[in-house]
Amino acid sequence: MTMNPLRTRRLTVAAAAAVALSFTGTAFASGAAAAHRDDGKITVGIKFDQPGIGLKTPDGTYTGFDVDVATYVAKQLGHDPKDIVWKEAKSADRESLLQRGDVDFIAASYSITPKRAEKVDFAGPYLLAHQDVLIRADDTSITKPSDLNHKKLCSVTGSTSAQNVKTKIAPDAQLQEYGGYSECLTGLENGVVDAITTDDSILAGYASQPEFKGKFKLGGFKLSNENYGIGVQKGSELKAKINTALEKMVADGSWAAAVQKNFGPAGYQAEPAPKIGVVVQ
């Protein structure tokens, strides 16, 4: 039987489309399951550039409070430290990393907010941080938030923390925006700026570094509440398992030890371990 050329063309196009759709579906499924490995490993998102929180060191190791929390949680999930694959989770990428399945969970100074909770689920919180300021250890001129008026206040470009101070607390503060907190610290050390603002946990992490020991202190102003949670995919069964692990970490003293280890040198007075599922507004 002779095939109609037009019909032949239609069948060819349809077959090609079906193949393309098949590859697309396979690629999507592969991406969604990327974090769930068959080799016994687990992929965890952390910050790579926040001393005391999550830092990738020059020798390729990882340190910080979030690293210690994530390592403990992974252990409770059945994974030794050698089984952890660390992946950088920049602030702007965290939701997409989880939604794509590039990581199993994220512990990266990840504040629980209603907007984020629309896209991902959160275990925890495991730390209640606050927006604060870091000042020089010998500075006695800044003892309350309003003292920031007419002071040179540093934060990173686009920071909501700095704008919060300008609009709600000290409208006459002289805002200096730098590319990173390391630059702010250099400016604070050299007297170019008078204070740095962001989460107190992040500030304490920087101030706890050996090269800065004894040079800075936290204001202790508690300008906002930041409930750090561990992000997982929407509907993931990991949420309940991670919550159980976090409760155990607090109960056996490992949580308090991690706080002291990572923040203690800066004199950081951490809040008591938060109750799982309770987000402080």
Side-chain angles (χ1 to χ4, degrees):
M1 181 178 68
T2 303
M3 182 69 74
N4 185 315
L6 180 58
R7 177 175 172 78
T8 301
R9 182 176 180 278
R10 286 175 177 166
L11 286 172
T12 302
V13 171
V19 171
L21 182 59
S22 173
F23 276 113
T24 301
T26 301
F28 176 79
S30 174
H36 304 287
R37 309 161 67 102
D38 295 327
D39 54 6
K41 295 188 179 295
I42 187 169
T43 306
V44 180
I46 58 169
K47 290 294 181 67
F48 278 15
D49 60 353
Q50 287 183 345
I53 299 288
L55 181 69
K56 182 178 181 179
T57 65
D59 63 2
T61 58
Y62 301 87
T63 65
F65 181 70
D66 283 350
V67 175
D68 290 343
V69 170
T71 301
Y72 187 99
V73 167
K75 179 69 173 178
Q76 297 304 306
L77 296 176
H79 302 276
D80 289 330
K82 64 181 176 56
D83 298 326
I84 301 173
V85 177
W86 300 106
K87 188 176 183 66
E88 185 173 19
K90 295 181 179 179
S91 295
D93 299 334
R94 290 176 296 201
E95 284 85 41
S96 59
L97 285 171
L98 288 168
Q99 291 173 327
R100 290 196 307 263
D102 292 343
V103 294
D104 289 290
F105 67 82
I106 288 178
S109 55
Y110 202 2
S111 296
I112 301 171
T113 68
K115 185 175 180 180
R116 289 170 178 165
E118 292 175 359
K119 300 177 180 179
V120 302
D121 282 344
F122 285 99
Y126 63 91
L127 183 73
L128 177 59
H130 306 281
Q131 184 186 342
D132 200 356
V133 296
L134 192 70
I135 57 180
R136 287 181 290 277
D138 59 356
D139 189 338
T140 58
S141 67
I142 301 175
T143 60
K144 57 186 182 297
S146 60
D147 289 337
L148 294 169
N149 280 308
H150 308 295
K151 297 289 188 179
K152 294 177 181 176
L153 178 67
C154 189
S155 196
V156 298
T157 302
S159 166
T160 56
S161 297
Q163 294 301 327
N164 183 46
V165 171
K166 282 284 292 181
T167 57
K168 300 178 182 178
I169 299 163
D172 292 326
Q174 300 172 31
L175 181 58
Q176 310 283 318
E177 293 184 300
Y178 290 177
Y181 289 113
S182 295
E183 296 171 58
C184 284
L185 279 163
T186 300
L188 184 61
E189 185 177 22
N190 296 335
V192 177
V193 299
D194 300 305
I196 307 170
T197 187
T198 187
D199 295 357
D200 52 7
S201 57
I202 296 174
L203 294 172
Y206 277 106
S208 294
Q209 299 308 289
E211 64 268 32
F212 296 129
K213 191 172 182 179
K215 294 183 178 181
F216 307 122
K217 63 183 178 182
L218 290 163
F221 296 157
K222 297 184 179 180
L223 303 175
S224 70
N225 295 320
E226 306 296 336
N227 300 267
Y228 287 4
I230 293 181
V232 297
Q233 276 190 342
K234 268 290 185 186
S236 173
E237 63 181 18
L238 281 180
K239 176 180 176 179
K241 295 178 180 179
I242 292 173
N243 279 336
T244 298
L246 292 173
E247 289 174 339
K248 183 176 180 181
M249 187 177 187
V250 173
D252 68 15
S254 299
W255 183 89
V259 168
Q260 180 58 35
K261 168 189 169 186
N262 292 289
F263 304 132
Y268 176 57
Q269 299 297 314
E271 296 277 4
K275 184 176 176 60
I276 297 299
V278 177
V279 176
V280 180
Q281 303 297 327

